[in-house]
Amino acid sequence: MLSLALTLLALPAAAARDDVLALAKKGWVYQLRTTMIGRDMSIPVRINGRLLAGASICIVGERPRRQTRLILDEFRALLAEVHGKPVPMRYAGPTARLCGAGRTVILRLYSGRPPNSALTDDLAWMNDSYALGLPTNRLYTAGSPAMAQTFFGRRGAGTHIMVKQPARDDVTELEAAFYRSILVEELFQTFTFGMDILHFDRSGIFQSKLQEFPVDLRYMNWDSQGFMQGLLGSNPSGLCEFDVFMLHAIATAPVEQTNEPAFLEFIAEGYDELMARAQVTLADPGYADLIDAECRSRN
């Protein structure tokens, strides 16, 4: 009877580990592809979620609103805890050209219509600075209110995030949730190199910020309630337990690339310790604005 009881107790833990491994495989073990016609494809690419550990954030465009600054500060603190390296941040002004090249994440903040000309200029400067091999004389446009891109060049990697923020500090509950959600998602994906995971079961439980239920919002105004509600309903509003787990896994995995099977092997072997670290992080009230409490309680 004792042997049977121990076996039954082990089943939930084993199932949870299998779920984590399955999600990690979908979000991190991938082949990098590009659809950008004219880009120099001979530039080598190595995917490692620690690439931006300790990198600075250079804000351009608008200055961060109160909630934007709160999310940025909490996320920087989270990264500092996980990686043991501070994440400096500064506001540079209207253009990425004022940020300087180096291990820097360019974050362009805007409200209203997307500043496509400024985005194009940012990427042109990054192309010259990092020798990214991007097509020249091209106008880049925003296809969504938040987008992040990392390009690998012959003189290093360049990362650019462009995120819509509220035009004022006094926002509705819906607006606050929407702007928080899109900023957290872009920051998490940028600093971990995780990919979107399609989640087709509308009634199923979300386990990760990376999971997305497909919704067609192409013809809706980004400032409309319908668009905000639709996007918020497509995935968790903040990080889940799994996401915090993956932050710790990425920070400690002794692998050269986090999109290789060896990364999954590390997660499988160190699951218990990594989950214990994640639980400590989740219990810290200093990260409350980053976490989707409902998502966490369902895991």
Side-chain angles (χ1 to χ4, degrees), residues 44-94:
V45 174
R46 298 184 68 81
I47 302 297
N48 191 309
R50 289 189 298 279
L51 176 67
L52 296 174
S56 63
I57 297 176
C58 182
I59 301 174
V60 297
E62 296 180 352
R63 290 184 180 275
R65 293 291 181 186
R66 183 172 57 215
Q67 177 180 267
T68 305
R69 182 63 190 242
L70 174 66
I71 295 300
L72 286 169
D73 286 345
E74 287 192 15
F75 196 84
R76 290 166 57 221
L78 175 59
L79 290 176
E81 176 202 325
V82 170
H83 290 284
K85 299 178 180 179
V87 181
M89 184 174 73
R90 70 184 181 95
Y91 175 75

Side-chain angles (χ1 to χ4, degrees), residues 11-292:
L11 284 176
R17 185 180 66 177
D18 289 345
D19 285 347
V20 165
L21 288 170
L23 277 175
K25 184 176 182 179
K26 291 178 181 178
W28 275 269
V29 182
Y30 55 82
Q31 295 294 321
L32 195 67
R33 296 181 177 88
T34 182
T35 56
M36 186 177 290
I37 298 175
R39 186 179 177 209
D40 183 354
M41 297 301 294
S42 68
I43 298 174
V45 174
R46 298 184 68 81
I47 302 297
N48 191 309
R50 289 189 298 279
L51 176 67
L52 296 174
S56 63
I57 297 176
C58 182
I59 301 174
V60 297
E62 296 180 352
R63 290 184 180 275
R65 293 291 181 186
R66 183 172 57 215
Q67 177 180 267
T68 305
R69 182 63 190 242
L70 174 66
I71 295 300
L72 286 169
D73 286 345
E74 287 192 15
F75 196 84
R76 290 166 57 221
L78 175 59
L79 290 176
E81 176 202 325
V82 170
H83 290 284
K85 299 178 180 179
V87 181
M89 184 174 73
R90 70 184 181 95
Y91 175 75
T95 172
R97 297 176 184 273
L98 301 172
C99 288
R103 295 186 65 250
T104 302
V105 173
I106 309 300
L107 171 59
R108 174 166 290 281
L109 297 173
Y110 73 99
S111 58
R113 298 179 63 83
N116 292 325
S117 59
L119 168 64
T120 299
D121 184 68
D122 289 347
L123 294 182
W125 172 78
M126 289 172 60
N127 193 29
D128 292 339
S129 298
Y130 299 100
L132 302 179
L134 300 180
T136 57
N137 301 318
R138 173 172 294 185
L139 175 65
Y140 295 92
T141 60
S144 67
M147 51 189 283
Q149 305 169 91
T150 292
F151 301 100
F152 293 84
R154 300 196 182 282
R155 292 195 291 270
T159 299
H160 189 281
I161 308 174
M162 191 165 83
V163 181
K164 186 176 175 68
Q165 67 168 351
R168 61 195 188 284
D169 286 329
D170 182 19
V171 294
T172 65
E173 184 176 338
L174 173 62
E175 290 171 332
F178 172 76
Y179 290 115
R180 163 181 172 260
S181 178
I182 61 175
L183 179 57
V184 168
E185 181 167 350
E186 297 309 322
L187 290 172
F188 178 69
Q189 290 199 280
T190 294
F191 282 91
T192 66
F193 283 87
M195 297 288 284
D196 291 338
I197 302 172
L198 289 176
H199 182 75
F200 293 106
D201 184 3
R202 184 180 287 275
S203 62
I205 298 171
F206 284 112
Q207 294 178 285
S208 172
K209 183 62 172 162
L210 296 183
Q211 292 179 298
E212 293 188 353
F213 182 85
V215 291
D216 187 359
L217 306 172
R218 287 175 296 174
Y219 304 109
M220 299 185 71
N221 187 309
W222 295 351
D223 292 316
S224 68
Q225 287 191 355
F227 182 88
M228 293 183 183
Q229 290 169 339
L231 203 62
L232 280 171
S234 68
N235 74 348
S237 63
L239 302 180
C240 299
E241 178 185 82
F242 167 81
D243 303 320
V244 177
F245 174 98
M246 290 304 298
L247 281 169
H248 284 284
I250 289 165
T252 54
V255 296
E256 293 186 3
Q257 298 189 81
T258 48
N259 64 334
E260 294 183 336
F263 182 45
L264 295 181
E265 295 173 7
F266 168 77
I267 292 173
E269 293 173 2
Y271 175 82
D272 291 337
E273 182 179 350
L274 292 170
M275 185 56 73
R277 293 181 184 179
Q279 294 303 321
V280 172
T281 301
L282 286 164
D284 189 330
Y287 308 131
D289 296 288
L290 303 177
I291 306 300
D292 183 330

